[in-house]
Amino acid sequence: MERESARGASPGQPFSGLLQQLARPGTAGAERAAGDAALRELGALLEAADWPALLREDAGVAPALGQVARALCGQAAPAQAEEARRGGAERAARVGAVFVQLLRGLEAARGSLGPAAVTAALRPAAPYIYIFSVTHRQERPWSSPASQRAAQEALASLLRVTGCGSVSEFLRGETADRGGRFPAVMGLLGPELTKESWKNNPATKYIFSWTLYQVTRPWLSQHLERILPPSLLISDDYQNENKILGVHCLHHIVLNVAVLECLLDLFPVLERPLQWKATEPRSSGPCDDVLQLILTHMEPEYRLLLRRTYARNLSAFIERLGILTVRHLKRLEQVIIGYLEVYDGPEEEARLRILEALKLTIKHCWPRIPCRLEIFLKALLKMVCDVAKDQSLTPEPVKAALLQEATDCLTLLDHCSAGQVTSLLTKAVQSCKDDKVLDCIRKVQELSGRTTKVGT
């Protein structure tokens, strides 16, 4: 009889009472007891529900499911304290079982109501079920084998009910024009991904990063404003584990977003109009922050793919900042020198791009360059000598391009140093016997208007 009454009843009123129990304040023991009782009652209600009838007759079902899913997700959130995590994993397993029970009922209703009606009813609850599943699906300090199984089953059921073949499809939607649940998921994660809150929940960074990895081009571009700040925040942490995780997030963004176009379009929106007085230093903006972070990661990076990606994008930031690049000149100098020293494979993309960045740096920051003249001159001449002696598989056109870029940089250095470069090169040629190096020096002298006979 009790089951029959539940079968025909609207879940709105029972759900509201359960919500009060799930969120009831009090002592830890009393709160746990109330929550466990609410979970048992909720499970009985879901098992007894006639979902086709409820979804046809009661418009309040979908919002009620969203509220219940929110409360359940909060109940299963990992605890900060180590001693509370064991009980939290047990609670998460029970919450996962309730989610699975709900999803089974809705899945069965797809046959009579159709996929669209069931998916619409699940829409308010789906982001919470997803966050719960991702939180507990892998082995973590706050999970157990039982909670992992429950989370994995909940995620698989969620995909079936929503008609999605993968997590990626669930998040991004079927096409770039028909969006998925990624905005809703990020809307829930957003308040937990601020500078003040992102470490409150130990699972938040893992949920964000794993979710981010599931969305690729062309879908990711439209969400740049949501995903870039948390990635930068995590990568800028003092803990190495977080730094690495944040760099992986940034790497994924770089590979899957037209980063330069989006970033440079976004900066004018992010930067407030500057009310600058000549007697005060100009305040830094988002472009400064991003460039500083990029340079921080460029310097120790040893993986060639990432080095090429960083070098490819560096010039756009220098061009954007113009003379304000001087704020980053010390770090920029170290990065340029380091990248000029390393052979980058037959295409030499990283060194070609870093030479382009050096040219822009000299053009925009020329008043500060003379004091760094010797450092840049040595690095360029060393690279020229290395290229001239290179016996590897590097094509001759690539070598010629490197030498030409180096020549352009040397010429610019000479112009901003009042001819110091050509004077120094005139002395250097006395001990140089390589024709390619001498040809490079001669071109610099000719372009500077200070032609000197070399090789004698």
Side-chain angles (χ1 to χ4, degrees):
M1 292 296 294
E2 183 180 353
R3 179 160 296 189
E4 281 298 319
S5 63
R7 186 180 298 275
S10 165
Q13 186 173 358
F15 277 175
S16 63
L18 292 172
L19 279 172
Q20 292 177 7
Q21 294 182 53
L22 287 169
R24 179 178 297 168
T27 65
E31 186 177 354
R32 186 180 302 111
D36 291 345
L39 285 175
R40 289 193 295 271
E41 188 177 345
L42 178 58
L45 177 66
L46 295 175
E47 185 180 0
D50 182 354
W51 288 107
L54 289 173
L55 295 178
R56 276 194 298 262
E57 299 169 5
D58 191 344
V61 171
L65 288 178
Q67 294 177 51
V68 168
R70 177 183 179 182
L72 290 175
C73 191
Q75 286 285 307
Q80 282 279 17
E82 192 73 31
E83 61 272 11
R85 286 179 179 169
R86 180 179 177 86
E90 295 173 357
R91 172 72 61 81
R94 292 193 290 272
V95 168
V98 171
F99 277 141
V100 170
Q101 195 168 36
L102 165 65
L103 292 166
R104 283 175 179 169
L106 293 176
E107 186 176 8
R110 282 168 61 95
S112 57
L113 296 179
V118 174
T119 300
L122 186 59
R123 184 168 292 277
Y128 293 105
I129 300 175
Y130 170 84
I131 288 176
F132 161 81
S133 301
V134 178
T135 300
H136 297 280
R137 60 180 288 275
Q138 291 183 319
E139 183 178 355
R140 299 289 184 194
W142 54 84
S143 67
S144 67
S147 67
Q148 291 173 52
R149 287 192 298 271
Q152 292 164 5
E153 188 176 355
L155 184 58
S157 299
L158 179 63
L159 296 181
R160 288 197 302 272
V161 175
T162 54
C164 298
S166 65
V167 174
S168 295
E169 185 181 339
F170 173 82
L171 291 169
R172 57 174 167 76
E174 296 179 3
T175 65
D177 297 328
R178 297 181 60 185
R181 284 83 172 177
F182 187 77
V185 171
M186 287 303 302
L188 298 181
L189 289 178
E192 297 187 24
L193 286 168
T194 66
K195 185 177 181 180
E196 294 76 21
S197 65
W198 73 279
K199 290 188 177 182
N200 293 344
N201 183 341
T204 298
K205 60 185 178 183
Y206 298 110
I207 303 170
F208 168 70
S209 60
W210 194 80
T211 300
L212 174 65
Y213 300 154
Q214 308 311 308
V215 184
T216 57
R217 67 171 68 226
W219 292 274
L220 197 59
S221 297
Q222 59 187 302
H223 305 295
L224 184 65
E225 190 172 355
R226 289 179 180 267
I227 60 178
L228 183 60
S231 301
L232 293 170
L233 179 65
I234 297 170
S235 68
D236 202 31
D237 191 58
Y238 68 94
Q239 294 179 315
N240 286 334
E241 176 191 358
N242 293 332
K243 285 182 180 292
I244 294 171
L245 183 65
V247 169
H248 286 167
C249 291
L250 291 171
H251 186 203
H252 181 80
I253 294 172
V254 167
L255 294 180
N256 289 281
V257 177
V259 175
L260 260 275
E261 295 178 9
C262 293
L263 277 179
L264 297 177
D265 287 344
L266 190 60
F267 286 143
V269 178
L270 295 175
E271 291 172 341
R272 298 177 180 177
L274 294 177
Q275 297 180 348
W276 177 66
K277 298 179 181 180
T279 56
E280 301 176 354
R282 298 191 186 186
S283 58
S284 60
C287 192
D288 290 280
D289 297 337
V290 175
L291 178 56
Q292 182 179 5
L293 188 62
I294 287 176
L295 293 174
T296 299
H297 293 306
M298 281 185 77
E299 191 172 358
E301 185 57 61
Y302 63 91
R303 289 166 291 185
L304 291 180
L305 179 61
L306 268 180
R307 288 173 68 91
R308 291 167 189 155
T309 302
Y310 284 136
R312 187 185 310 129
N313 295 324
L314 185 58
S315 293
F317 287 92
I318 298 172
E319 192 72 73
R320 167 74 183 173
L321 284 172
I323 184 61
L324 298 181
T325 305
V326 296
R327 295 168 171 166
H328 311 277
L329 200 49
K330 184 175 182 180
R331 179 61 61 84
L332 188 57
E333 170 197 309
Q334 296 169 346
V335 168
I336 289 173
I337 301 304
Y339 275 57
L340 288 178
E341 291 176 346
V342 179
Y343 171 72
D344 186 49
E347 299 302 319
E348 289 279 24
E349 182 182 359
R351 285 212 280 196
L352 284 170
R353 296 290 189 173
I354 214 70
L355 286 167
E356 178 185 335
L358 176 56
K359 286 196 296 185
L360 288 172
T361 301
I362 297 170
K363 289 179 180 178
H364 290 299
C365 306
W366 62 267
R368 301 287 183 87
I369 295 299
C371 62
R372 293 173 166 82
L373 178 64
E374 184 177 348
I375 295 173
F376 285 133
L377 181 57
K378 285 182 178 179
L380 287 168
L381 289 178
K382 183 179 183 301
M383 193 208 75
V384 169
C385 292
D386 290 344
V387 173
K389 298 174 183 177
D390 183 13
Q391 300 297 322
S392 68
L393 298 178
T394 305
E396 288 301 321
V398 175
K399 294 181 183 179
L402 282 170
L403 294 174
Q404 183 58 54
E405 290 292 320
T407 300
D408 293 343
C409 289
L410 289 168
T411 304
L412 287 171
L413 284 175
D414 189 65
H415 287 164
C416 72
S417 65
Q420 292 184 52
V421 171
T422 49
S423 299
L424 294 170
L425 291 179
T426 301
K427 300 174 183 178
V429 297
Q430 304 302 324
S431 58
C432 180
K433 298 180 180 180
D434 189 287
D435 291 339
K436 290 184 178 179
V437 177
L438 291 173
D439 185 57
C440 177
I441 294 174
R442 185 178 67 253
K443 287 180 180 179
V444 173
Q445 292 177 325
E446 289 175 352
L447 291 170
S448 299
R450 297 177 177 86
T451 304
T452 302
K453 187 176 181 181
V454 296
T456 59

